[in-house]
Amino acid sequence: MEKLKKKIRSFSFWNWVIASIIFRLILIYFPNNLNLSSRPEVSTPLTSFRRLSEGYWLKQLSMSPYAGSMYHGSPLLLSLLGPLTVKRIEGQPNHLLYSLVSVIADVVSAMLIRATGQNLQVAYFGTLKSFDLVKQIEGSEVHSPGDVAALIYLCNPFTIVACMGLSTSPIENMAVILCLYGACSRLIPLAAFGWVIATHMSLYPAILIIPVIFLLGRGPDAPPRKLFLQMHQEKGVLNQSKLPPCFSWGPIIHFAFWALLWSVYVLVLCGISLKQFGGLWEMFKSTYGFILTVEDLSPNIGVLWYFFAEVFEFFWNFFLIVFHANILFMILPLAIRLHHRPCYLAYVAVCSMLKSYPSVGDSALYSGLLGWFVNELSDMQFSLFLFCGYVGVSPLSPVMHNLWIWRGTGNANFYFATTMVYACLQIVLVVEGVSAMLNHDRKLRSLITGKPRDAKS
Amino acid sequence: METFNNSKPILLFLLLPCLLLYSLIAFNSSSVEAAMHTNNWAVLVCTSRFWFNYRHMANTLSLYRTVKRLGIPDERIILMLADDMACNTRNKYPAQVFNNENHRLNLYGDNVEVDYRGYEVTVENFLRVLTGRHETAVPRSKRLLSDEGSHILLYMTGHGGDEFLKFQDSEELQSHDLADAVKQMKEKHRFKELLIMVDTCQAATLFNQLQSPGVLAIGSSMKGENSYSHHLDSDVGVSVVDRFTYYTLAFFERLNIYDNASLSSSFSSYNPSLLMSTAYYRKDLYKRNLEEVPVTNFFGSVMETIHTDAAYKALSRINSGRFEAQTSLDQSVHHIEKRMPMKVNDQEETHNIIPEGEEGASKCPWSTFWNKFRKGENVDTLVNYGLVAMIPLLVISTWLVQ
């Protein structure tokens, strides 16, 4: 019976995967990819397809790809994806090859998410077994986090829109997920590679170093270590082998070595390709400098464009520091509180609220990663509110944009309202998620120690 | 000690390319004629004003029309006219200028771009245009931006005399002024070949003093002869065209941009009895045979196109130290704007002309690879190889660590 259930579940999983792939392929054949690549929610100055082809064209004319402040991505992407922007096949829609690359990136990301989720599931069951709690949860519905997360990632409308909008976010997401997969499965060169590539392409995945260190040092998500000690105190059995391993520095050093190696490799390649155009400093100025200084104030799904349009230039530096440090300041305390759950920490890091140029590709990533914690977060408050909020904001945002820009009957405040709501939803999601996770830990503790504690919300 | 003995052949090794470079520079400085013909310019000057000099303006506008028809764009034409005919109160056909009494062609039609009009047509401005010595505020459309690959047509019409040309009834341009200006142009490499065509009385005297090589000059009449107008248009009330220009146009109206009628056929088409003067041309300063020179070399804009497969390389790509330091965006645009021929530019040209085999003195494959790498030809393939090599490296490292 169990086997049949499992078989049915896995069968329907692959069904969904194939259905989503077919759906994307159908969407490719719509004219002009439904003009999704011109939506500000999809294409930002960092991920836009038009800017990528402009950078490639400039490169072909032997000019610096960063000339004219159009392209702000990695020069390696130009060599990889650049030729795809111009390749045309007779009778097929434009940019077929590029869309196929995005689809493949999505599928690979989904498979990696699934593998990581399975890792997490194994670890979860392992801890439950060591707490002798398996019987208690067997009755209730336990979903496989890998499958759920992979399906959420593939079938999420945000992901599909980001894929069809020809942005570079599927590839950035793939790099982030590769890093997390490598860290979960203890494949250190892979994790280092993913981290270096993700940081190289956009700056914010650099913060993933903290969860990755915890993942490599300790292993995937597990209840806090002191719970184990408490349990053994209670039960009086001291079985060393069942204890989770102590924090080990060896893999960290290994990771540092490989990260250094890969970053030197990537920087050397970038330096070679940009040798005549100002070298690495030009690249850093145009990519990281552009992200950090928020030069481009064209509307997107974030809030910084409106904010910096109304703030006096005198205060820009201050507010830039505040916004960018916000991400750091959010991660550090959470790292202390949730150091035993590094994958969740990675999820929060990926959320990167108040980014310079967010797009739906980012929300695709963290929605997908949310699926890993479907068991722990099953009691999250406001889940319906958040879901309805996202469903409501997604069509409203293009409508407000249309009202503002094309019809002229609205103004920037209309659009900014939807982006503010989006940012609020993101914040509420993270906050509620963290509290739900802490509640889950408390429940585990109460189950183990037998003393009921008040579940603080 | 050992290294010193070893360094001697290395020093000789390094000397050879230096010698080669020096010989290249020497070769280059002696052969400026190696410059290719790259563009055509036309400077059309009408030096008269007032209604009764209608025909001079019609002459100039006819040449303007011909030159445009045969391919020279407005950016390459400097048109200097008093421009007081078309809207003159005595003009029965307002905003229209004809060069024939059949009124078939309105010369002042759709897109006449006059660069110097009215009282701006002075001897000083004319000489400034020729020599390129303008005030800084003069716009580009009023400058003769030619370089050492330009063929320039200089056409002047008006009232002239023995070794002078009258400008706007108040000044005169003398033949030695003109010769001086042409000499300056030659010094500054402002033209490759220059054709001066003058339609005034005693025109041939105007270029008596010319000495610069590469100049061809033709005048409508010789010393002591007058140039006459062709016919009077009784409707407009004045003569509408001069004979020399009329027969020049008769020659050119038969041509289109693809014809390669030679200059000698053009020059020999002038019949002294019809012109009522002798059209005299001076070709002692011009080295080429007039039979081989097509008229479109001066009157049109037909050039040899060279097809290359390589991508277009912007101006500052050759690897000399100064250029590499200036390759950020602003400077590279600035370099394209600056059209002064620089020493390194000449080196670039000779590099293009001399075949590659003579360049590197060493036959070592590494140094040729390094040369190519420095020039930036193989950068893209190198980066692609690097990217492709990343994947097996990743796979191997992951597999090994496992």
Side-chain angles (χ1 to χ4, degrees), chain A residues 286-307:
Chain A
S286 299
T287 54
Y288 292 170
F290 179 75
I291 295 176
L292 288 175
T293 56
V294 190
E295 284 167 8
D296 189 313
L297 293 181
S298 52
N300 49 49
I301 212 171
V303 294
L304 293 194
W305 57 276
Y306 190 91
F307 190 80

Side-chain angles (χ1 to χ4, degrees), chain B residues 39-52:
Chain B
N39 51 51
N40 282 9
W41 282 83
V43 180
L44 311 172
V45 185
C46 164
T47 60
S48 318
R49 59 184 305 117
F50 307 129
W51 176 245
F52 48 83

Side-chain angles (χ1 to χ4, degrees), chain A residues 110-139:
Chain A
M111 293 301 119
L112 287 173
I113 290 181
R114 180 168 192 244
T116 320
Q118 279 167 349
N119 242 330
L120 283 176
Q121 188 180 23
V122 160
Y124 188 54
F125 273 131
T127 58
L128 287 182
K129 219 183 272 181
S130 67
F131 286 144
D132 298 325
L133 287 175
V134 186
K135 283 186 295 245
Q136 292 192 317
I137 56 137
E138 216 163 61

